[in-house]
Amino acid sequence: MAVHDKSEQVRLQIIRATDDLLYHKGYNMMSFSDIADASGVPRGNINYHFKTKQAVLSAVVDYRLANMKMMLTQWDLTIPTPLARLKRYAQIPLNEKTNVTQYGCPMGSLNTELAKHQPELQTVSLAQFELFRGS
């Protein structure tokens, strides 16, 4: 495996673990040590990939956006009408009801937290809502 591929795999491992931490713990309660523990990546390696918590946040939002775009593209190809796509969208919280009941909407929870404490960071997270609004 090439060094670049290994580096990208580690970066993705960090992003996925941080995505989960953001949802279950929140941005302000999450630390680099939490990310290291959750990802299994040494803290020094995390600092190599992401110099700040804000950089990790941006990477997680980019990751979420990429996944949402793929999902919406797939829906456009497989779900014939806007109404049917809207019904599919409304099904998402029902499919995730255990997590949604305990932690709320992943997008909404993050936006609410950032709006209270770091409104300048909220613009990063708002891109998730903008994507759905434009679809």
Side-chain angles (χ1 to χ4, degrees):
M1 177 182 308
V3 173
H4 180 72
D5 292 341
K6 176 74 171 154
S7 179
E8 284 303 310
Q9 285 182 347
V10 170
R11 188 175 190 279
L12 185 57
Q13 186 176 338
I14 295 165
I15 290 169
R16 287 179 174 159
T18 305
D19 186 21
D20 192 54
L21 281 170
L22 283 170
Y23 187 38
H24 294 101
K25 196 167 189 169
Y27 181 79
N28 291 308
M29 298 302 294
M30 175 187 73
S31 68
F32 271 87
S33 294
D34 293 327
I35 296 169
D37 292 343
S39 67
V41 174
R43 185 172 173 158
N45 290 13
I46 293 169
N47 289 334
Y48 170 80
H49 290 281
F50 302 101
K51 303 297 183 216
T52 65
K53 225 166 108 172
Q54 182 176 346
V56 185
L57 172 67
S58 293
V60 169
V61 170
D62 288 345
Y63 172 78
R64 287 181 180 184
L65 287 170
N67 287 330
M68 285 183 232
K69 286 176 185 175
M70 284 190 304
M71 178 188 73
L72 292 172
T73 299
Q74 185 64 29
W75 287 4
D76 284 343
L77 297 172
T78 60
I79 303 174
T81 67
L83 180 58
R85 288 191 292 274
L86 182 60
K87 287 179 181 178
R88 177 61 187 94
Y89 178 74
Q91 188 65 40
I92 293 172
L94 298 174
N95 293 344
E96 298 292 327
K97 63 182 169 189
T98 301
N99 277 331
V100 170
T101 301
Q102 188 167 0
Y103 302 107
C105 167
M107 294 180 348
S109 298
L110 180 60
N111 274 289
T112 300
E113 178 184 14
L114 294 175
K116 289 178 186 175
H117 303 288
Q118 291 95 358
E120 69 282 359
L121 295 181
Q122 185 186 27
T123 58
V124 172
S125 187
L126 281 174
Q128 299 169 92
F129 287 104
E130 295 296 325
L131 177 64
F132 279 111
R133 189 173 70 151
S135 294

